[in-house]
Amino acid sequence: EPEVTQTPSHQVTQMGQEVILRCVPISNHLYFYWYRQILGQKVEFLVSFYNNEISEKSEIFDDQFSVERPDGSNFTLKIRSTKLEDSAMYFCASSGTQGSYGYTFGSGTRLTVV
Amino acid sequence: AQTVTQSQPEMSVQEAETVTLSCTYDTSENNYYLFWYKQPPSRQMILVIRQEAYKQQNATENRFSVNFQKAAKSFSLKISDSQLGDTAMYFCAFMKHEITGANNLFFGTGTRLTVIP
């Protein structure tokens, strides 16, 4: 069964550093998403991406965040200057339709900012 | 704004028994979708079941079924013949119907289910 692949599985970074979280969505999917889950809390929407541009973003997705689909395969989330409160599990997801049949999620990247 | 409430932080069930997880939501939308996702200790989010709001018939997927009450804005998940592999965090999620663009999910806070051997 097709999978969404995320790398790395765990990243530790120093506060103020830039990090790039990588995702390879399912190849024929058109819609891409990033969600995050702070430990013990609910899963929160960050951003959706379609047709090479951001479709929607949440209040969390401020100027420190950006997304890119650089080569038609990867879908990346960049955090420019990490803060302690960015420590969370970050999930990438993709869907073939607008998402109404559900997404396929990756297994997540655990980001720890120290 | 959409909100999803799961009032049971933790539940447990004996293996082979049936358990029901509760979920309520608040929306002014008429067309939307509801989902239950499972998050086992591996942390990956796995789609369990999906319901379209305009369909009155409750969705079923093998041992998993829902009780969708649109007027009450309630969407509970029933797991029959519980198995040890069902031990996980279960998230209820809401998605409104968008004509264009991607649709995002609004999640509840989750219910941690433990299946006891």
Side-chain angles (χ1 to χ4, degrees):
Chain A
E1 188 166 331
E3 289 185 343
V4 173
T5 306
Q6 288 188 246
T7 55
S9 57
H10 191 188
Q11 171 122 23
V12 181
T13 188
Q14 290 213 318
M15 192 168 57
Q17 294 296 304
E18 174 184 287
V19 293
I20 297 175
L21 309 183
R22 302 183 193 279
C23 170
V24 179
I26 293 174
S27 60
N28 61 350
H29 282 184
L30 301 175
Y31 298 84
F32 314 110
Y33 314 84
W34 283 100
Y35 284 75
R36 82 172 183 189
Q37 184 182 30
I38 295 172
L39 188 62
Q41 299 185 26
K42 67 178 174 182
V43 181
E44 300 173 292
F45 168 72
L46 289 179
V47 66
S48 57
F49 192 87
Y50 169 68
N51 201 25
N52 287 317
E53 61 183 18
I54 290 175
S55 182
E56 191 170 348
K57 59 184 180 180
S58 71
E59 294 173 352
I60 304 167
F61 195 87
D62 61 21
D63 292 344
Q64 292 298 313
F65 291 88
S66 62
V67 288
E68 199 175 39
R69 189 158 159 79
D71 55 12
S73 174
N74 292 282
F75 179 52
T76 61
L77 174 69
K78 183 194 290 187
I79 309 175
R80 256 180 278 282
S81 177
T82 50
K83 303 188 277 283
L84 293 176
E85 53 265 38
D86 293 327
S87 293
M89 195 77 166
Y90 288 81
F91 291 102
C92 174
S94 68
S95 64
T97 61
Q98 290 174 272
S100 58
Y101 287 91
Y103 310 157
T104 302
F105 279 89
S107 47
T109 293
R110 181 176 298 284
L111 177 66
T112 303
V113 182
V114 297
Chain B
Q2 280 67 228
T3 58
V4 179
T5 302
Q6 293 178 251
S7 58
Q8 305 152 315
E10 293 188 18
M11 291 194 72
S12 61
V13 62
Q14 289 288 138
E15 194 175 5
E17 296 295 306
T18 295
V19 64
T20 299
L21 308 184
S22 301
C23 173
T24 58
Y25 58 94
D26 188 25
T27 185
S28 57
E29 303 288 331
N30 193 44
N31 290 330
Y32 51 88
Y33 308 91
L34 295 163
F35 303 86
W36 279 96
Y37 277 88
K38 168 184 176 180
Q39 188 181 40
S42 65
R43 307 297 292 176
Q44 186 166 10
M45 301 284 285
I46 301 166
L47 177 64
V48 175
I49 200 165
R50 163 188 177 269
Q51 175 81 40
E52 299 170 7
Y54 59 85
K55 286 190 176 177
Q56 291 187 337
Q57 187 174 5
N58 289 323
T60 61
E61 286 288 341
N62 302 314
R63 297 183 295 108
F64 298 88
S65 61
V66 298
N67 183 3
F68 173 49
Q69 302 287 329
K70 190 172 184 180
K73 296 180 181 172
S74 169
F75 183 61
S76 60
L77 173 70
K78 185 170 84 170
I79 306 174
S80 304
D81 185 25
S82 298
Q83 300 175 0
L84 296 179
D86 295 334
T87 292
M89 196 76 166
Y90 286 81
F91 291 97
C92 178
F94 172 98
M95 174 187 286
K96 68 178 181 178
H97 174 72
E98 299 276 10
I99 296 173
T100 59
N103 294 344
N104 29 309
L105 286 165
F106 297 89
F107 285 90
T109 49
T111 296
R112 185 175 302 282
L113 176 69
T114 302
V115 180
I116 302 166

